[in-house]
Amino acid sequence: MNRLHPILFTLACLLTLSPLTVHAEALTDQTIRSFISSLEALQGMEDDYDELATEENDGEMPDMSRIFSSSVEEMKGHDMYNELEDVVQQHGFSSPEQWGEIGDRIFHAWGALEMGKQSGDMNQEMARAMEEIDNNPHMSEAQKQQMREMMGGAMSAVEQAANAPEADKQAVRPHMEALRSVTGEDEDF
């Protein structure tokens, strides 16, 4: 029995440190409401952030799967980061990084819910676009291949967005109207 104790202790320590045991905290109504409130409070910073993002991105497309956490990373070292930190802490988040991760999850779930409504139409449109590319006599094979790769990337992004955790989608569903309102998204994604 004494021999088993150190082994169990070591195993428990390894499991505790293992990334496999790290579970994302459940999104609660309060967390989602706090996130939406923080977005409302941060709306005055949009113009400043747009200028910073233009400087930092050099015309690159932002990573939509990490839109908030990558924005937080871009702000580090700028005065805006301190302003963001103040606002998110006032809304119950421990740090801008935690706020960014929560925001990414909320928007991922929201996108999955919106795309779920439109997935049939979207799949048909993408299939039609692929057919048009293949049948276009004015494009070289290299151009067609490039377009297929771009469409494949778009299809992959749609698939990735659609597989948000079910618990996150259920938590976000009652807040979709508030999210549309705070982001100015009158239409579905």
Side-chain angles (χ1 to χ4, degrees), residues 42 45 72 75 78-97 99:
L42 291 167
M45 288 177 60
V72 168
M75 286 184 196
H78 296 275
D79 290 340
M80 262 188 295
Y81 181 87
N82 297 334
E83 293 174 45
L84 174 67
E85 186 172 35
D86 291 343
V87 171
V88 301
Q89 287 179 348
Q90 289 169 7
H91 286 86
F93 297 95
S94 62
S95 67
E97 290 74 18
W99 175 86

Side-chain angles (χ1 to χ4, degrees), residues 166-187:
E166 191 60 36
D168 286 2
K169 291 191 285 188
Q170 293 303 322
V172 167
R173 182 172 275 118
H175 302 277
M176 290 173 65
E177 203 55 47
L179 286 163
R180 283 188 198 109
S181 176
V182 76
T183 61
E185 290 289 330
D186 296 330
E187 301 286 321

Side-chain angles (χ1 to χ4, degrees), residues 54-128:
T54 302
E55 291 171 17
E56 300 284 325
N57 285 345
D58 297 327
E60 289 179 26
M61 273 298 282
D63 180 356
M64 297 307 285
S65 68
R66 299 183 61 249
I67 192 73
F68 289 97
S69 53
S70 61
S71 297
V72 168
E73 289 168 9
E74 287 177 7
M75 286 184 196
K76 281 190 176 176
H78 296 275
D79 290 340
M80 262 188 295
Y81 181 87
N82 297 334
E83 293 174 45
L84 174 67
E85 186 172 35
D86 291 343
V87 171
V88 301
Q89 287 179 348
Q90 289 169 7
H91 286 86
F93 297 95
S94 62
S95 67
E97 290 74 18
Q98 183 208 24
W99 175 86
E101 290 170 14
I102 296 285
D104 292 343
R105 287 178 58 198
I106 290 170
F107 271 67
H108 188 201
W110 179 25
L113 290 166
E114 294 288 7
M115 285 183 196
K117 294 180 194 174
Q118 304 168 1
S119 64
D121 292 339
M122 208 177 303
N123 288 339
Q124 286 178 348
E125 272 186 52
M126 287 189 178
R128 237 187 332 265

